[in-house]
Amino acid sequence: LAKTTQPVSMDSYEGQEVNITCSHNNIATNDYITWYQQFPSQGPRFIIQGYKTKVTNEVASLFIPADRKSSTLSLPRVSLSDTAVYYCLVGGKIKAAGNKLTFGGGTRVLVKP
Amino acid sequence: DGGITQSPKYLFRKEGQNVTLSCEQNLNHDAMYWYRQDPGQGLRLIYYSQIVNDFQKGDIAEGYSVSREKKESFPLTVTSAQKNPTAFYLCASIGDSNEQFFGPGTRLTVL
């Protein structure tokens, strides 16, 4: 399973864009990149998933360069309620062998007024 | 509503006792997972199961046991062999979309 490295913490202000980069140098060909958000005392919540280039949904964008050795989660115009821990997860499709999904330490994002 | 339920939300245990945490899902997912989270830390994988009657150890399986007799259920037993069981326990399942769905968690405290 590809090991991931993220910054431990980031501070931002309301209305700004937050970009969190995750490094995954040994990502495998069939691995996808998934990001989760976790609030205190709650289970993580799926944000976005991608394989290459760019993926966008109603809450975030995910940028993946051609070599796929890193990815960047972009949160546009954050609000105080976006204060949370964000996890990057790299793994293959469930139907493939070895779908042991391991989380890294995550990035603690603090949004200030 | 489809989802994952965990019970109880809070659990207190005396040292030396075994306790079982419940995890049920009605999402028809094959794969289920148990994670442990300590304060200020990330999630660590305890056990996972890809199919009924089969499960594998995660990174911190010592002191824990699981069963997967039904697709919907994946209970976790914290045994007396687990030396520091006080933590937040999270159960998850995953389907074909590769998106993990998490339960609300059980906070276990050893008295």
Side-chain angles (χ1 to χ4, degrees):
Chain A
L1 189 72
K3 178 179 169 60
T4 60
T5 303
Q6 306 173 231
V8 173
S9 63
M10 298 179 68
D11 289 357
S12 183
Y13 291 91
E14 281 189 292
Q16 288 188 338
E17 179 181 80
V18 171
N19 295 307
I20 310 171
T21 296
C22 179
S23 297
H24 28 80
N25 291 319
N26 58 338
I27 188 169
T29 303
N30 62 344
D31 282 346
Y32 283 72
I33 301 154
T34 311
W35 285 82
Y36 290 84
Q37 175 192 56
Q38 187 184 27
F39 297 112
S41 297
Q42 295 185 24
R45 183 176 69 100
F46 173 91
I47 300 175
I48 197 166
Q49 183 182 81
Y51 183 81
K52 62 180 180 180
T53 62
K54 177 183 175 181
V55 180
T56 297
N57 62 22
E58 62 276 7
V59 298
S61 294
L62 178 59
F63 299 92
I64 306 168
D67 66 7
R68 301 198 333 118
K69 294 184 182 301
S70 67
S71 58
T72 299
L73 174 72
S74 180
L75 305 172
R77 299 179 298 281
V78 294
S79 63
L80 297 178
S81 63
D82 292 316
T83 293
V85 179
Y86 293 83
Y87 295 96
C88 166
L89 196 66
V90 175
K93 278 291 192 182
I94 285 304
K95 296 303 182 185
N99 58 347
K100 171 184 172 183
L101 298 176
T102 304
F103 282 74
T107 298
R108 192 172 300 274
V109 173
L110 173 62
V111 179
K112 302 175 182 178
Chain B
D1 289 334
I4 301 178
T5 58
Q6 291 185 242
S7 61
K9 187 173 178 64
Y10 298 96
L11 185 58
F12 298 89
R13 187 195 94 173
K14 293 181 179 179
E15 283 192 35
Q17 285 183 336
N18 292 354
V19 289
T20 298
L21 282 59
S22 169
C23 177
E24 303 279 332
Q25 55 101 356
N26 61 2
L27 301 166
N28 200 34
H29 288 168
D30 287 317
M32 297 186 74
Y33 300 78
W34 273 106
Y35 294 91
R36 168 183 171 138
Q37 188 172 37
D38 293 287
Q41 304 297 313
L43 283 71
R44 291 188 290 167
L45 183 63
I46 305 173
Y47 268 98
Y48 62 109
S49 168
Q50 299 181 14
I51 198 167
V52 173
N53 293 323
D54 186 51
F55 48 83
Q56 291 81 40
K57 293 182 179 180
D59 300 317
I60 56 165
E62 185 176 350
Y64 300 97
S65 66
V66 293
S67 63
R68 189 80 187 280
E69 298 176 1
K70 298 186 301 181
K71 188 175 187 178
E72 302 79 17
S73 179
F74 190 39
L76 173 74
T77 297
V78 184
T79 75
S80 57
Q82 170 50 235
K83 298 307 178 187
N84 186 23
T86 295
F88 187 49
Y89 291 87
L90 286 159
C91 178
S93 71
I94 190 165
D96 288 345
S97 69
N98 222 48
E99 175 185 342
Q100 270 188 313
F101 291 84
F102 283 83
T106 292
R107 190 166 298 281
L108 173 63
T109 302
V110 174
L111 304 174

